[in-house]
Amino acid sequence: MRRWRRFLTALAGTALVGTTLVGTTSAVAAPSAAVQADRGSGTHCSGQGRVRTPGAAFQTIACLDDLTTAGTSVSGHTVPAQYAGLHAEGTVNPSGVPGIQVDGFFPDTSTTNTTHGWNHDSQFVVRLPDHWNGGLVVTGAPGVRGQYANDLIIGDWVLAQGYAFASTDKGNTGAGFFHDGAHPGDAVAEWNQRVTQLTIAAKIVVAQRYAHALRRTYMTGISNGGYLTRWQLENRPWLYDGGVDWEGTLFRADGPNLLTYLPAALRNYPAYKQGSAAAHDAILAAGFVSGSEFLWDFHYPVYWDLTQRIYREEFDPDYDGALEAGTPFCASGTPACDADYDYASRPRAVPDAVAKVQLTGRIGRPMLTLHGTLDTLLPPSTDSDVYQTLIAQEGRGGLHRYYRIEDGNHVDGLYSSFPDRLRPMLPCYRTAFSELAAWVEQGEPPTPSGLVSRPLTGDLVNGCALR
């Protein structure tokens, strides 16, 4: 145990620079005999004096009556704006999970994350419930959000199951995330490094708090968090026992990737709105599914344009010269317009930048993937369908199950606008997580891969059967 802990501490990075407790100005002292005596006890917040996040430059610790968003949104220990729009109205979440919350940041030079007024990236949160089941769930923010983005859709539920929970901002945030790093692709590459760093540190923090070794560690996330899950299980499988990939982003140097299909959507959407059948067909040919048209009017201004421009800037900053992330909503034909971007014709340096972060399918632990059939940001045909094939080609199909959720979209926030055409993904994610745990811990085979049909009756917001 001591040898394992020293090894993980070394991997986590530099020693803790400064640690203060919420409500005090004193540094955390070495645990007293009385504190050491409570190791393993179930008393409220026992062991918090032992908690020192390895490698962190700063941390604060709070003993809370409720670690879920029902409590943290009131106490100020989460940021609801970071998880806005990710869940459907009517989602029922558990609450009343007492325990310890650790907030802090690892050493970093970028300052995009302004949460807590820290103006410091690589922020993290670790939550340690009083009643622990022996497990840890690690995640990273979707999109370019902060470390609390998964609190409502993932954190609340896994904490109520008894898991410790750790989440990172991935090392950079916001629409200007591409400023981080010295070379194209560096900002995204840092995401993976920060997840590994937090996983190692969180394992040690859990051992400090509970005085017991972890039994299970799971990696999970949505969108870019799903990408992180895939990458960790491919490249750091020894840190985890399994993972749930909720519509992870696919980066492939030779395609497909965001930059191979979003330009076609941007280029053709204006003509499609004018009634052009050819433009409509071109968007479908790019990978967007027939039947998703009712979502295009939302995705064009909210997702397609911004996503193309900021990720193109991350991997191919020379395309638009001195501009940063191009010209919003530029018309095709405008110089350096992202609607006219052609990934296949760009210099070799561009796919080389993507290659830094690309996925291969070589997962080393069990993983379940979920993807909505109406995902209109990451269409399944350009993403998880391809990734399933990659996994099979690598001979890892036995470790993977893939569920296509009929009428699921990229985020559940639009469900209330189209309740007759969409279904929330969150309840299916929770079912998948339970099946993963049963697969890993009891050897129960998960539901076979396939289409999960939309039920005709029942509570779609809070229930989902994969079988």
Side-chain angles (χ1 to χ4, degrees), residues 132-153:
W132 181 52
N133 70 359
L136 168 67
V137 173
V138 181
T139 188
V144 289
R145 301 180 185 227
Q147 68 270 26
Y148 301 118
N150 289 309
D151 280 5
L152 192 145
I153 60 171

Side-chain angles (χ1 to χ4, degrees), residues 217-220 229 233 237 240-244 365-368 436 440:
T217 302
Y218 296 115
M219 179 66 202
T220 191
T229 301
L233 295 192
Y240 308 95
D241 295 282
V244 180
R365 290 289 186 269
M367 186 176 75
L368 306 185
L436 173 73
V440 170

Side-chain angles (χ1 to χ4, degrees), residues 32 47 150 161 181 200 237 271 353 357 382 396:
S32 65
N150 289 309
Q161 302 294 309
I200 294 168
V357 301
T382 66
R396 309 300 172 94

Side-chain angles (χ1 to χ4, degrees), residues 32 157 184 253 301 319:
S32 65
W157 189 79
Y319 175 73

Side-chain angles (χ1 to χ4, degrees), residues 65-80:
D65 291 332
D66 191 357
L67 295 171
T68 74
T69 54
T72 56
S73 61
V74 176
S75 68
H77 290 88
T78 189
V79 180

Side-chain angles (χ1 to χ4, degrees), residues 198-465:
L198 179 61
T199 300
I200 294 168
K203 285 173 176 281
I204 296 171
V205 166
V206 167
Q208 291 170 347
R209 159 61 181 91
Y210 300 108
H212 291 287
L214 273 166
R215 290 196 294 269
R216 301 293 180 193
T217 302
Y218 296 115
M219 179 66 202
T220 191
I222 175 176
S223 191
N224 280 342
Y227 159 73
L228 299 173
T229 301
R230 295 172 175 182
W231 193 95
Q232 292 291 318
L233 295 192
E234 286 183 7
N235 296 278
R236 304 289 185 269
W238 55 87
L239 291 175
Y240 308 95
D241 295 282
V244 180
D245 154 34
W246 183 349
E247 67 201 20
T249 310
L250 181 64
F251 292 109
R252 291 285 293 173
D254 295 329
N257 59 57
L258 294 165
L259 307 183
T260 62
Y261 65 86
L262 283 178
L266 295 177
R267 185 168 57 252
N268 288 284
Y269 177 81
Y272 157 74
K273 285 298 291 181
Q274 297 300 315
S276 168
H280 170 264
D281 292 345
I283 295 174
L284 295 183
F288 297 91
V289 67
S290 178
S292 68
E293 290 88 346
F294 70 98
L295 295 168
W296 295 359
D297 288 348
F298 175 84
H299 282 74
Y300 174 73
V302 174
Y303 281 121
W304 291 350
D305 180 75
L306 180 65
T307 301
Q308 164 64 27
R309 290 187 294 104
I310 64 177
Y311 286 90
R312 193 270 307 148
E313 187 71 20
E314 163 67 356
F315 294 109
D316 190 0
D318 292 339
Y319 175 73
D320 56 359
L323 292 176
E324 286 194 348
T327 303
F329 306 106
C330 55
S332 179
T334 303
C337 180
D338 275 277
D340 295 324
Y341 185 77
D342 181 14
Y343 180 83
S345 69
R346 298 300 295 154
R348 186 64 215 178
V350 178
D352 285 348
V354 177
K356 291 181 182 179
V357 301
Q358 77 171 347
L359 297 169
T360 65
R362 290 192 299 270
I363 57 172
R365 290 289 186 269
M367 186 176 75
L368 306 185
T369 293
L370 302 93
H371 211 124
T373 62
L374 294 181
D375 192 320
T376 312
L377 177 60
L378 305 177
S381 65
T382 66
D383 194 287
S384 292
D385 290 1
V386 178
Y387 193 57
Q388 182 188 38
T389 299
L390 291 173
I391 291 173
Q393 289 173 344
E394 291 291 336
R396 309 300 172 94
L399 293 172
H400 187 234
R401 301 292 185 274
Y402 173 32
Y403 309 115
R404 301 177 84 250
I405 311 301
E406 185 178 28
D407 295 343
N409 182 36
H410 194 67
V411 296
D412 288 351
L414 289 177
Y415 173 71
S416 61
S417 298
F418 305 102
D420 57 334
R421 297 198 244 184
L422 296 176
R423 71 171 297 180
M425 296 281 292
L426 177 57
C428 299
Y429 165 81
R430 290 174 174 173
T431 301
F433 191 100
S434 296
E435 291 208 10
L436 173 73
W439 188 16
V440 170
E441 297 171 27
Q442 283 87 46
E444 297 180 11
T447 299
S449 300
L451 177 69
V452 179
S453 299
R454 178 194 179 113
L456 299 177
T457 60
D459 181 3
L460 292 181
V461 177
N462 295 295
C464 176

